[in-house]
Amino acid sequence: DAGVTQSPTHLIKTRGQQVTLRCSPKSGHDTVSWYQQALGQGPQFIFQYYEEEERQRGNFPDRFSGHQFPNYSSELNVNALLLGDSALYLCASSLRGVRGRETQYFGPGTRLLVL
Amino acid sequence: AQSVTQLDSHVSVSEGTPVLLRCNYSSSYSPSLFWYVQHPNKGLQLLLKYTSAATLVKGINGFEAEFKKSETSFHLTKPSAHMSDAAEYFCVVSDTPGGGNKLTFGTGTQLKVEL
């Protein structure tokens, strides 16, 4: 049973560029959430996608946007990159609305470095 | 609003001795609480979860946690530490019963296990 996968594993960009990160959920899951983990800190919730719509959003600017595809996979896009966007970006998947199955399972993350 | 406070940023124990990682929570709802572990350069792994069933929750690798509403605490314990337990541990709260929505992470506790 494949777990949550993310690509790429590492990425280096320069300020002002745009980046797209990808996530494939665990088999059977329909909901994808994205988190940003800065060095030495706990993950911070960015947003969650279900049925191809953004359902919840954390305190992040609209430079951060996302998409969910019919196969439940998801993309995170960040425009106009800032140095402060350097972080580990984590994707988590879950099964919505099924009591006891909503637990979020995390992928290995994409480490983004902005120079 | 919900939040968690991890009372120790670093904990050091000797192999074979007990582990105690402390967490206090604040939530307007009946919370769901989790402990996740993160090994170096790895994603987050679920250790255990509390979702309003038994207050003493058993997880993987011999870890357990007790939900104490009167003390708003959810401390993580293990009777005997192993070298492989060295990692970062996060206490997490969710505003939905199963943790399907936004997760709010603590700042983490780095566990060091010495010979």
Side-chain angles (χ1 to χ4, degrees):
Chain A
D1 179 22
V4 180
T5 60
Q6 293 186 242
S7 63
T9 56
H10 295 80
L11 205 50
I12 299 176
K13 293 285 187 178
T14 57
R15 281 181 298 173
Q17 285 189 312
Q18 178 264 343
V19 69
T20 297
L21 310 181
R22 296 176 176 82
C23 171
S24 291
K26 184 178 167 67
S27 178
H29 285 183
D30 58 8
T31 302
V32 173
S33 303
W34 287 92
Y35 294 80
Q36 180 196 65
Q37 185 178 18
L39 200 61
Q41 298 183 24
Q44 300 286 319
F45 176 76
I46 303 175
F47 43 53
Q48 181 181 84
Y49 276 84
Y50 170 68
E51 290 187 334
E52 302 178 47
E53 290 189 15
E54 184 182 293
R55 300 291 178 167
Q56 264 193 317
R57 190 178 182 93
N59 188 27
F60 280 80
D62 56 12
R63 297 187 297 110
F64 289 76
S65 63
H67 189 78
Q68 186 180 34
F69 299 93
N71 67 352
Y72 308 119
S73 66
S74 176
E75 289 181 349
L76 164 66
N77 301 292
V78 187
N79 294 322
L81 284 167
L82 304 174
L83 296 179
D85 294 332
S86 295
L88 180 67
Y89 288 85
L90 294 162
C91 168
S93 74
S94 55
L95 182 61
R96 190 178 185 91
V98 178
R99 189 168 179 83
R101 298 285 302 278
E102 313 96 323
T103 302
Q104 295 185 37
Y105 291 88
F106 285 81
T110 293
R111 189 164 297 281
L112 172 65
L113 177 61
V114 182
L115 301 176
Chain B
Q2 56 194 24
S3 65
V4 289
T5 301
Q6 292 185 244
L7 299 169
D8 306 292
S9 59
H10 293 83
V11 170
S12 183
V13 300
S14 299
E15 191 175 34
T17 64
V19 175
L20 170 64
L21 305 183
R22 299 181 296 165
C23 173
N24 287 116
Y25 70 90
S26 173
S27 176
S28 304
Y29 310 91
S30 296
S32 290
L33 293 159
F34 308 81
W35 278 95
Y36 281 86
V37 61
Q38 188 174 38
H39 288 91
N41 301 313
K42 295 284 182 66
L44 291 156
Q45 181 184 20
L46 178 68
L47 274 180
L48 49 79
K49 62 179 180 181
Y50 166 78
T51 57
S52 78
T55 57
L56 181 61
V57 181
K58 294 188 183 298
I60 61 172
N61 300 334
F63 284 95
E64 61 181 40
E66 187 171 7
F67 173 73
K68 292 187 176 180
K69 187 174 181 179
S70 61
E71 298 177 10
T72 61
S73 69
F74 190 58
H75 301 334
L76 181 69
T77 61
K78 182 174 180 177
S80 176
H82 191 271
M83 293 296 290
S84 61
D85 295 328
E88 183 98 27
Y89 291 79
F90 292 97
C91 183
V92 183
V93 65
S94 171
D95 64 357
T96 51
N101 283 353
K102 171 187 173 182
L103 298 179
T104 300
F105 284 74
T107 51
T109 298
Q110 186 72 43
L111 176 65
K112 183 178 179 181
V113 182
E114 300 172 316
L115 285 171

